[in-house]
Amino acid sequence: QVQLVESGGGLVQAGGSLRLSCAASGRTFSNLRMGWFRQAPGKEREFLVCIRWGGGSTVYADSVKGRFTISRDKAMNTVYLQMNSLKSEDTAVYYCAACDSGSTCLRQQEYSSWGRGTQVTVSS
């Protein structure tokens, strides 16, 4: 089991930036993909991006491609989500999650470990 703790959320004006962090602990991560999701009020949880812990390959949802960037620091066991050019529609709770890299890791059902989330609010 992997334990995940998100941080870095907050209130930001439209057009601004935030960097979210996800600190991971527990089992080894070499066979995992780490993903970021978000859930806005009244909406389903949405896949944003994932990264293969070992090789670093990434997959982005079209909704955030070009604005959001995922990265990981193996020494710190931390995954980051750099969010630029934020819009009011980016307001949501953002979650970090872990998925076995043998899966596509594009759906929340494939993720076995989740953080508690961090709130991001973008004011217009």
Side-chain angles (χ1 to χ4, degrees):
Q1 193 74 2
V2 178
Q3 289 77 48
L4 303 168
V5 180
E6 304 95 335
S7 61
L11 175 64
V12 63
Q13 288 188 333
S17 298
L18 277 177
R19 189 178 79 158
L20 305 183
S21 299
C22 173
S25 61
R27 55 165 284 191
T28 58
F29 312 130
S30 58
N31 294 324
L32 295 179
R33 291 180 193 262
M34 306 298 286
W36 285 97
F37 288 74
R38 69 184 178 191
Q39 189 166 19
K43 295 188 176 181
E44 294 188 354
R45 194 166 295 188
E46 173 190 13
F47 168 80
L48 300 178
V49 60
C50 65
I51 185 169
R52 187 183 292 271
W53 187 266
S57 60
T58 58
V59 178
Y60 286 87
D62 289 342
S63 59
V64 301
K65 197 174 295 184
R67 296 192 301 126
F68 291 9
T69 303
I70 191 171
S71 62
R72 85 264 191 256
D73 184 330
K74 289 185 176 181
M76 297 295 292
N77 285 346
T78 300
V79 177
Y80 302 99
L81 183 65
Q82 177 67 43
M83 306 186 295
N84 299 328
S85 303
L86 284 163
K87 309 173 183 179
S88 57
E89 51 263 44
D90 294 319
T91 295
V93 177
Y94 284 70
Y95 297 91
C96 175
C99 172
D100 189 302
S101 61
S103 302
T104 64
C105 299
L106 300 178
R107 301 177 303 145
Q108 61 174 317
Q109 294 87 341
E110 297 176 295
Y111 286 76
S112 56
S113 299
W114 291 83
R116 292 188 175 185
T118 185
Q119 176 70 46
V120 171
T121 303
V122 184
S123 62
S124 57

